[in-house]
């Protein structure tokens, strides 16, 4: 289902209800870019996180794909409901949302028929949960001031000053332009006539915040028994004066608080999806979803934390189980998956391998997604992710059942997928996969969001660069390891790579013979530069 600003209010109740009762959610994003520069090869997860943190903060999420998955025990069948949500950010003078759009991303999206006009015209704005919570906290402070103000005994003139302390400096007459003064004198005449009339409310269109503030200051002093307010009506900023008694004045301020709370919730929009996921601890499934998780946090929750460890802590606070179908496929191995993923673990390739399988039975509610022409539309990609997850999970379950590792596997499976508050996919996918996501151009090539990560011995790592473009693996082995073949090569580009020694006993010998640690620059007539990974980090990070 295509979800835009035009139909959001109509679809929103069904979507949120869908989330409330689903068994898990699969998701995908379309973005304005992936990284500011080509990522180097990393052997340090903390540096890897910092590199992507900068890139993620520079790009926008422009389309969110969400597919909810529901299991019917009665029919032993899954139903997949897909939503393709167009996103366009709220901007303001304080936060103009200045972001980057990479040319390669633009070309990629256009080649897959992405409608940029629709994105701008029909994209749904949203607010982060952190901004929402901060806004509610400020409203609660205002509410407390109002409640204290209501209880006080005071004259109508004192009460007309309002419950909030005046923190802004008064505007002096010499600060006011002649045009604003002339308009003020003109409106004074109109207000004077209105005060003597039977009218309850006076409104005047004034776009200038400075002028409205000056008028507020002047009229509050001149007419202390009037309620002064501003409003926004039909695209116009209105300066308002109201005649009211003490009770009406109290009700006015209390209603303002309720309006602010309503406005805060209204601005959340699609962020409510992730509030429900957090509250219900709904498992989420992505494919190669490291960057997607960073974008979820950055777009819908808060600025990304400074360190990887802080990010992992925040993920635990805001999400339940997390599964990456790419890492599940790779860790399981193609033999366990009956050959699936043997040659390619990309999203579309895996989907084509599993879509014709009979088990489990999956009903796709969106007819438009029965065709593959919507590949790289976020909603369709989220559907493919969910189908892959269910199909490879079924194969793993069947293997477990066939190997006799556990009795009553089918009963356990049905218990696990029943939707309740403590729901986790314990049997759909083994818990060993929970929180493990694929890392690209990084060693280790997997991150454990909910546990300890694999440690890499950096003493074995060396950075080789500045060699001739004609060099290949054979040339490198011949230069540094003509006899034993005791290292492996991870290429960065045509003139640089990492060398990883297999045998720790060779580190000292290799370092003495080849490494330029004392002088990072190439020696005269030397064909290459070889330094330790520690020096590489100092030089580049």
């Amino acid at each position: 289902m295509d979800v835009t600003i035009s139909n959001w209010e109509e679809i929103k109740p069904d979507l949120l209800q869908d989330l409330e009762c689903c068994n898990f959610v699969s998701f995908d994003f379309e973005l304005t870019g992936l990284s500011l520069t080509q990522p180097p090869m990393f052997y340090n997860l903390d540096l890897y996180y910092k590199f992507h943190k900068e890139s993620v903060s520079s790009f926008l999420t422009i389309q969110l794909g969400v597919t909810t998955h529901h299991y019917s025990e009665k029919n032993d069948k899954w139903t997949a409901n897909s939503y393709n949500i167009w996103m366009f950010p709220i901007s303001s003078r304080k936060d103009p949302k200045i972001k980057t759009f990479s040319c390669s991303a633009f070309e990629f999206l256009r080649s897959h028929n992405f409608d940029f006009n629709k994105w701008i015209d029909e994209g749904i704005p949203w607010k982060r949960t952190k901004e929402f919570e901060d806004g509610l906290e400020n409203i609660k402070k205002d509410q407390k001031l109002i409640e204290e103000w209501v209880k006080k005994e005071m004259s109508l003139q004192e009460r007309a000053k309002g419950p909030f302390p005046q923190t802004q400096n008064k505007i002096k007459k010499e600060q006011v332009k002649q045009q604003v003064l002339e308009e003020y004198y003109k409106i004074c005449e109109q207000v004077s006539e209105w005060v003597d009339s039977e009218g309850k409310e006076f409104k005047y269109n004034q776009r200038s915040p400075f002028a409205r503030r000056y008028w507020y200051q002047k009229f509050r002093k001149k007419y202390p028994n009037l309620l002064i307010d501003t409003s926004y009506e039909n695209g116009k900023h209105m300066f308002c004066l109201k005649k009211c008694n003490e009770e009406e004045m109290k009700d006015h301020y209390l209603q303002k608080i309720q309006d602010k709370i309503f406005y805060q919730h209204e601005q959340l929009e699609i962020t409510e999806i992730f509030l429900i996921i957090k509250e219900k601890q709904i498992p989420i499934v992505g494919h190669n979803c490291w960057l997607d998780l960073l974008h979820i946090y950055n777009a819908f929750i808060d600025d990304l934390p400074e360190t990887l460890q802080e990010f992992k802590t925040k993920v635990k606070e805001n999400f339940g189980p997390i599964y990456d179908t790419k890492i599940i496929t790779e860790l399981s191995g193609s033999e366990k998956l009956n050959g699936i993923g043997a040659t390619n673990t990309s999203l579309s390739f895996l989907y084509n391998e599993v879509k014709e399988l009979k088990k489990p039975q999956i009903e796709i509610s969106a007819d438009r997604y029965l065709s593959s022409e919507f590949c790289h539309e976020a909603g369709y990609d989220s559907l493919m992710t969910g189908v892959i997850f269910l199909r490879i999970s079924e194969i793993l379950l069947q293997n477990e059942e066939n190997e006799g590792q556990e009795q009553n596997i089918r009963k356990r499976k049905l218990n696990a997928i029943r939707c309740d508050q403590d729901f986790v996919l314990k049997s759909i996918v083994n818990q060993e996969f929970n929180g493990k996501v694929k890392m690209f151009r990084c060693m280790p090539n997997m991150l454990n969001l909910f546990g300890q990560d694999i440690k890499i011995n950096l003493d074995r790592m060396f950075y080789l660069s500045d060699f001739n473009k004609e060099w290949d693996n054979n040339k490198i082995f011949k230069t540094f390891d003509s006899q034993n073949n005791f290292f492996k090569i991870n290429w960065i580009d045509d003139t640089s790579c990492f060398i990883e020694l297999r045998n720790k006993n060779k580190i000292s010998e290799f370092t003495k013979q080849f490494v330029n640690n004392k002088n990072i620059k190439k020696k005269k007539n030397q064909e290459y530069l070889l330094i330790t990974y520690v020096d590489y980090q100092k030089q580049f990070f």
Side-chain angles (χ1 to χ4, degrees):
M1 183 182 299
D2 222 28
V3 184
T4 66
I5 194 70
S6 301
N7 62 8
W8 170 243
E9 290 304 320
E10 177 186 349
I11 293 172
K12 177 181 175 180
D14 292 335
L15 169 56
L16 298 185
Q17 178 61 34
D18 215 2
L19 279 167
E20 292 271 2
C21 63
C22 74
N23 297 107
F24 73 93
V25 172
S26 54
F27 69 95
D28 187 77
F29 280 111
E30 295 302 329
L31 310 165
T32 61
L34 296 178
S35 62
L36 294 169
T37 60
Q38 173 67 13
M41 185 71 186
F42 287 92
Y43 288 90
N44 183 310
L45 288 170
D46 294 306
L47 291 176
Y48 187 81
Y49 170 78
K50 287 182 179 179
F51 175 87
H52 286 293
K53 173 183 176 292
E54 183 181 358
S55 292
V56 166
S57 302
S58 300
F59 295 109
L60 267 177
T61 51
I62 57 179
Q63 210 176 60
L64 166 64
V66 172
T67 299
T68 60
H69 300 267
H70 306 258
Y71 179 74
S72 168
E73 186 174 348
K74 180 179 179 181
N75 302 320
D76 192 20
K77 180 176 72 173
W78 289 86
T79 302
N81 300 323
S82 297
Y83 302 87
N84 185 59
I85 304 170
W86 296 77
M87 301 168 55
F88 196 83
I90 300 172
S91 62
S92 64
R93 282 181 296 178
K94 290 183 179 179
D95 183 10
K97 293 291 189 302
I98 299 172
K99 298 291 182 178
T100 303
F101 210 131
S102 79
C103 292
S104 59
F106 188 93
E107 292 166 359
F108 174 83
L109 291 168
R110 284 300 298 136
S111 69
H112 290 90
N113 302 314
F114 188 90
D115 189 338
F116 288 97
N117 288 328
K118 184 174 183 179
W119 168 55
I120 295 169
D121 295 338
E122 294 287 303
I124 303 169
W126 74 96
K127 178 175 279 191
R128 287 170 165 179
T129 55
K130 179 66 165 57
E131 294 167 350
F132 169 72
E133 289 163 358
D134 288 347
L136 283 184
E137 188 63 31
N138 290 331
I139 290 171
K140 287 178 182 177
K141 291 177 183 177
D142 287 349
Q143 189 170 14
K144 186 177 179 180
L145 287 173
I146 290 173
E147 288 169 353
E148 292 173 352
W149 172 79
V150 166
K151 293 175 184 177
K152 287 181 181 178
E153 294 291 333
M154 61 184 82
S155 66
L156 181 60
Q157 285 191 345
E158 289 175 318
R159 193 169 294 284
K161 294 179 181 179
F164 306 115
Q166 301 303 310
T167 56
Q168 289 181 324
N169 295 327
K170 288 186 177 181
I171 300 172
K172 298 178 181 179
K173 189 174 181 179
E174 54 266 27
Q175 294 176 284
V176 185
K177 292 181 179 180
Q178 185 63 32
Q179 182 181 353
V180 174
L181 283 174
E182 289 175 359
E183 192 172 13
Y184 167 68
Y185 294 137
K186 177 183 175 183
I187 196 176
C188 275
E189 295 178 7
Q190 299 177 27
V191 170
S192 180
E193 293 177 6
W194 166 76
V195 167
D196 295 331
S197 72
E198 295 182 359
K200 289 281 289 181
E201 191 172 43
F202 176 88
K203 292 184 178 182
Y204 188 88
N205 178 23
Q206 174 50 267
R207 297 180 60 85
S208 167
F210 179 86
R212 291 198 302 273
R213 183 181 152 206
Y214 177 67
W215 292 358
Y216 183 88
Q217 173 184 307
K218 298 292 287 185
F219 281 114
R220 193 180 65 168
K221 186 176 180 180
K222 189 171 184 178
Y223 298 106
N225 60 330
L226 294 178
L227 182 64
I228 306 174
D229 196 11
T230 58
S231 64
Y232 189 74
E233 302 173 14
N234 301 319
K236 297 179 179 179
H237 294 271
M238 308 300 294
F239 179 77
C240 308
L241 297 171
K242 297 178 183 179
K243 298 173 185 175
C244 61
N245 58 36
E246 187 172 342
E247 198 62 37
E248 288 172 331
M249 197 170 289
K250 292 177 184 178
D251 291 343
H252 166 81
Y253 283 110
L254 290 172
Q255 184 60 49
K256 291 281 280 188
I257 289 295
Q258 294 305 312
D259 291 344
K260 285 183 178 181
I261 292 173
F262 176 80
Y263 182 66
Q264 284 290 318
H265 283 277
E266 193 178 49
Q267 280 199 313
L268 265 179
E269 300 294 7
I270 47 184
T271 307
E272 288 191 61
I273 292 170
F274 296 97
L275 285 178
I276 292 173
I277 287 173
K278 176 182 178 180
E279 179 188 354
K280 299 288 184 180
Q281 291 289 284
I282 301 170
I284 60 174
V285 180
H287 183 85
N288 201 16
C289 58
W290 163 244
L291 285 178
D292 290 333
L293 290 171
L294 293 179
H295 276 285
I296 285 178
Y297 191 91
N298 185 65
F300 298 107
I301 299 173
D302 195 6
D303 289 336
L304 286 165
E306 287 302 314
T307 67
L308 176 61
Q309 194 54 51
E310 289 176 301
F311 175 69
K312 290 171 72 169
T313 300
K314 292 296 184 181
V315 167
K316 289 178 186 177
E317 293 174 3
N318 287 278
F319 299 97
I322 297 172
Y323 297 100
D324 182 348
T325 50
K326 189 175 184 72
I327 207 71
I328 293 172
T329 305
E330 292 183 359
L331 290 180
S332 299
S334 62
E335 290 183 5
K336 281 189 178 180
L337 295 174
N338 301 336
I340 292 171
T343 59
N344 193 330
T345 56
S346 68
L347 182 65
S348 56
F349 193 90
L350 282 178
Y351 182 68
N352 287 330
E353 288 193 304
V354 304
K355 69 178 181 180
E356 300 302 330
L357 298 178
K358 302 299 182 183
K359 290 185 177 181
Q361 187 179 355
I362 304 170
E363 180 182 323
I364 298 172
S365 61
D367 290 342
R368 69 199 293 259
Y369 286 163
L370 296 175
S371 165
S372 62
E373 66 178 288
F374 293 99
C375 189
H376 295 298
E377 182 173 279
Y380 182 73
D381 287 1
S382 71
L383 171 67
M384 288 197 291
T385 300
V387 171
I388 291 167
F389 179 70
L390 287 171
R391 293 273 159 82
I392 63 177
S393 300
E394 180 70 24
I395 294 171
L396 292 174
L397 279 166
Q398 290 298 328
N399 288 340
E400 189 178 340
E401 186 177 24
N402 293 338
E403 292 170 9
Q405 293 180 3
E406 202 163 332
Q407 294 180 349
N408 301 321
I409 188 71
R410 180 59 60 179
K411 182 179 179 181
R412 186 163 67 87
K413 174 185 174 182
L414 294 178
N415 287 337
I417 59 180
R418 191 182 302 124
C419 185
D420 57 41
Q421 289 186 342
D422 298 322
F423 164 76
V424 289
L425 292 176
K426 288 181 179 176
S427 293
I428 294 298
V429 175
N430 193 301
Q431 281 297 91
E432 69 177 281
F433 299 125
N434 181 18
K436 294 180 180 177
V437 295
K438 176 72 175 178
M439 300 283 101
F440 173 67
R441 294 183 68 81
C442 184
M443 289 296 291
N445 64 358
M446 180 183 73
L447 174 71
N448 190 347
L449 290 166
F450 304 135
Q452 292 295 319
D453 292 304
I454 299 168
K455 298 294 184 183
I456 298 293
N457 184 353
L458 297 180
D459 291 340
R460 300 185 183 193
M461 306 298 171
F462 298 86
Y463 174 65
L464 177 65
S465 65
D466 296 354
F467 51 79
N468 192 293
K469 288 185 178 181
E470 303 302 318
W471 279 33
D472 56 12
N473 283 357
N474 289 333
K475 173 64 176 176
I476 293 174
F477 281 125
K478 185 177 179 181
T479 303
F480 301 103
D481 185 21
S482 59
Q483 296 177 351
N484 300 316
N485 189 23
F486 62 87
F487 62 77
K488 64 178 182 179
I489 301 168
N490 289 310
W491 285 90
I492 300 173
D493 53 37
D494 290 342
T495 61
S496 62
C497 66
F498 290 111
I499 289 177
E500 180 181 354
L501 301 188
R502 300 180 189 277
N503 189 343
K504 64 180 181 180
N505 296 326
K506 295 286 186 178
I507 295 173
S508 179
E509 176 188 336
F510 185 81
T511 302
K512 286 179 182 179
Q513 186 174 358
F514 298 110
V515 175
N516 307 54
N517 278 5
K518 292 182 180 179
N519 183 2
I520 298 298
K521 295 181 180 180
K522 267 200 320 185
K523 294 178 182 178
K524 191 175 181 180
N525 299 325
Q526 192 172 0
E527 295 183 274
Y528 61 84
L529 173 68
L530 183 67
I531 60 177
T532 65
Y533 187 78
V534 173
D535 281 340
Y536 166 76
Q537 284 188 177
K538 291 177 182 177
Q539 184 175 349
F540 291 98
F541 301 105

